[in-house]
Amino acid sequence: MMLGYLLARAGVDVVLLEKHADFLRDFRGDTIHPSTLELTYELGLLEKFLQRPHDEVPHLSAWIGESRLRLADFTHLPTHCKFIAFMPQWDFLNFFAEEARRFPAFRLLMRAEATDLLVEDGLVTGVRAKSAQGQLEIHAGLTIAADGRHSIIRQKASLETINLGAPMDVLWMHISRAESDPSMTLGRIDAGKFLAMLNRRAYWQCAFVIPKGGYDELRARGLPAFRAQLAELAPFLRDRVEELAGWDQIKLLTVEVDRLKRWWRPGLLCIGDAAHAMSPVGGVGINLAIQDAVAAANILATPLRTRAAHDDELASVQKRREFPTRATQRMQIAVQNNVIKRVLGSSRIKAPWILKLFDRWSLLQRILARLIGMGFRPEHVKTPDAQSLR
């Protein structure tokens, strides 16, 4: 959506396919980081964007055993918004879809799912898609795969994937929130258990971390045992865990961390999770994908106004974004293996000394906030507004 908006804004004809009838999918990451908010400022959309319902979180904390620790402080970032905004992803997508429709070069097809590539002499020339109107063939000078970690387009392109592994999966669920509950978004960690809780005003969006492949065993123990685990981690929820009346209210996210060896082939470019599936650690996946989109637009907008993208231009997008991808994944894997894996395998827990240092030293909180909030190579909008140029 972001790449489609930027290219159409720059005068490039864009057709964007969305396989569903709307964007109302729950249990997606809903964090809009300072880097993304800064991009909306550069586009002149920040004030309008923040009129949408959202919550602002200037600090991140964790409750580890008996200790509550502050880990990240976003209030010192060199950005206009010194916080993470929590906004349902469908609101984010609807906002940019509405803004993109102002450009005559933008076309959004709902209920249209890409199913295969059109290829001529090794060159990708578009996609086949199924839609409410029947089968479609869409021809393009460049096809962008942004269809997630289970990308059909990546699969059809036969691009080689490097699997980096993950020791965990995540269960997502909603539990109502009471006025007397803590206000902050936080993580709650105890022996063998890890629960992230996102304050969504009327409810908590909860992520319960389990060992990789452990869902069937957890489910075999029964829903009452699972509810008891939640109540033990967050005692203030004890009177509400019964709201989870069936396993259909609990969604399994199978965590994968991987990246493509090469993000492109002639006529095709992969970005976001289609190019590099991220761990949920830090909640940075969406924002890293948006950074990919901005970099791709900066590099490709000018040539795409007059011709198809050349291979060296597609390679330039990967070269620009590969370092921040690798560095972020390296950081996520370190946290997965040295913190989460140990927590899930422990019978007793106390706050590690390194996290106690974060709580004690504000400088470390600022460093972590910069890594989470800005990333390793924040991008800036360099594409023109074709309407302003006219």
Side-chain angles (χ1 to χ4, degrees):
M1 184 66 78
M2 178 63 80
L3 179 54
Y5 170 88
L6 291 171
L7 290 177
R9 175 178 175 268
V12 178
D13 288 332
V14 173
V15 178
L16 179 61
L17 305 186
E18 164 58 49
K19 71 178 180 179
H20 298 284
D22 54 44
F23 298 119
L24 291 172
R25 248 85 53 226
D26 206 354
F27 306 110
R28 287 177 159 192
D30 293 341
T31 56
I32 311 298
H33 288 211
S35 61
T36 300
L37 293 168
E38 192 70 6
L39 293 170
T40 64
Y41 170 79
E42 294 174 3
L43 292 167
L45 300 174
L46 180 61
E47 184 176 351
K48 187 176 180 181
F49 180 70
L50 291 179
Q51 290 174 5
R52 300 281 174 122
H54 69 283
D55 294 295
E56 299 177 3
V57 178
H59 307 98
L60 291 181
S61 301
W63 202 289
I64 304 176
E66 299 299 318
S67 304
R68 179 185 158 193
L69 309 175
R70 176 176 287 184
L71 303 179
D73 178 2
F74 299 96
T75 61
H76 299 275
L77 290 179
T79 55
H80 288 82
C81 295
K82 303 177 188 303
F83 53 80
I84 290 178
F86 283 85
M87 177 185 291
Q89 193 172 122
W90 57 80
D91 283 337
F92 179 91
L93 292 169
N94 280 325
F95 176 85
F96 273 96
E98 291 167 12
E99 292 299 318
R101 286 189 182 101
R102 297 190 298 109
F103 305 120
F106 182 83
R107 184 181 177 200
L108 173 60
L109 300 182
M110 305 299 289
R111 290 196 295 173
E113 179 182 4
T115 58
D116 205 350
L117 293 172
L118 300 174
V119 182
E120 297 178 11
D121 298 325
L123 174 69
V124 175
T125 60
V127 296
R128 289 188 179 90
K130 59 182 180 182
S131 75
Q133 289 73 42
Q135 297 295 317
L136 302 175
E137 285 194 358
I138 301 174
H139 296 265
L142 176 63
T143 298
I144 306 283
D147 51 341
R149 63 186 57 216
H150 303 297
S151 170
I152 294 295
I153 298 303
R154 178 172 78 175
Q155 176 188 334
K156 296 295 184 180
S158 301
L159 295 171
E160 183 181 349
T161 304
I162 303 169
N163 195 324
L164 303 175
M168 65 193 191
D169 292 322
V170 179
L171 301 178
W172 285 98
M173 70 215 79
H174 285 174
I175 299 177
S176 64
R177 183 176 174 273
E179 287 296 324
S180 58
D181 289 352
S183 61
M184 75 288 290
T185 289
L186 46 74
R188 304 185 73 89
I189 302 171
D190 212 334
K193 296 182 284 294
F194 191 127
L195 177 68
M197 302 182 64
L198 311 181
N199 180 356
R200 303 306 303 273
R201 300 187 185 183
Y203 62 89
W204 292 102
Q205 188 175 18
C206 300
F208 187 81
V209 181
I210 61 175
K212 171 64 71 177
Y215 177 65
D216 290 340
E217 180 182 347
L218 178 79
R219 186 163 176 168
R221 295 194 201 111
L223 196 56
F226 177 64
R227 290 193 295 246
Q229 284 187 302
L230 295 177
E232 185 178 351
L233 273 172
F236 58 87
L237 293 180
R238 193 174 300 277
D239 62 336
R240 278 161 279 153
V241 294
E242 297 294 331
E243 295 171 359
L244 299 173
W247 290 103
D248 59 329
Q249 295 172 261
I250 302 164
K251 309 299 181 183
L252 173 66
L253 169 67
T254 302
V255 176
E256 299 173 9
V257 184
D258 63 37
R259 62 176 176 264
L260 293 179
K261 186 172 183 179
R262 193 172 78 171
W263 298 15
W264 60 276
R265 56 177 282 187
L268 172 71
L269 174 67
C270 297
I271 63 171
D273 273 4
H276 46 73
M278 308 301 290
S279 165
V281 170
V284 298
I286 293 169
N287 298 276
L288 199 71
I290 290 172
Q291 299 291 311
D292 287 357
V294 176
N298 288 343
I299 292 169
L300 299 173
T302 297
L304 285 177
R305 277 199 294 269
T306 56
R307 57 170 172 80
H310 293 166
D311 290 356
D312 60 341
E313 292 161 343
L314 303 180
S316 293
V317 177
Q318 178 176 352
K319 183 178 180 181
R320 173 74 187 174
R321 296 305 304 161
E322 191 156 31
F323 164 71
T325 297
R326 287 173 175 260
T328 303
Q329 288 182 327
R330 192 173 295 120
M331 182 177 68
Q332 290 182 324
I333 289 169
V335 173
Q336 286 181 168
N337 293 339
N338 297 304
V339 178
I340 295 175
K341 189 175 182 178
R342 290 185 181 183
V343 166
L344 295 177
S346 65
S347 57
R348 53 182 298 183
I349 190 127
K350 61 180 182 179
W353 64 268
I354 186 66
L355 296 186
K356 290 183 178 180
L357 286 182
F358 274 85
D359 183 62
R360 192 171 302 164
W361 291 354
S362 61
L363 178 61
L364 292 178
Q365 296 175 29
R366 296 181 191 183
I367 292 172
L368 184 58
R370 190 174 185 98
L371 290 175
I372 293 174
M374 301 292 292
F376 287 94
R377 180 177 285 163
E379 303 290 345
H380 298 280
V381 176
K382 298 177 182 176
T383 48
D385 184 336
Q387 291 181 331
S388 296
L389 290 177
R390 283 198 296 271

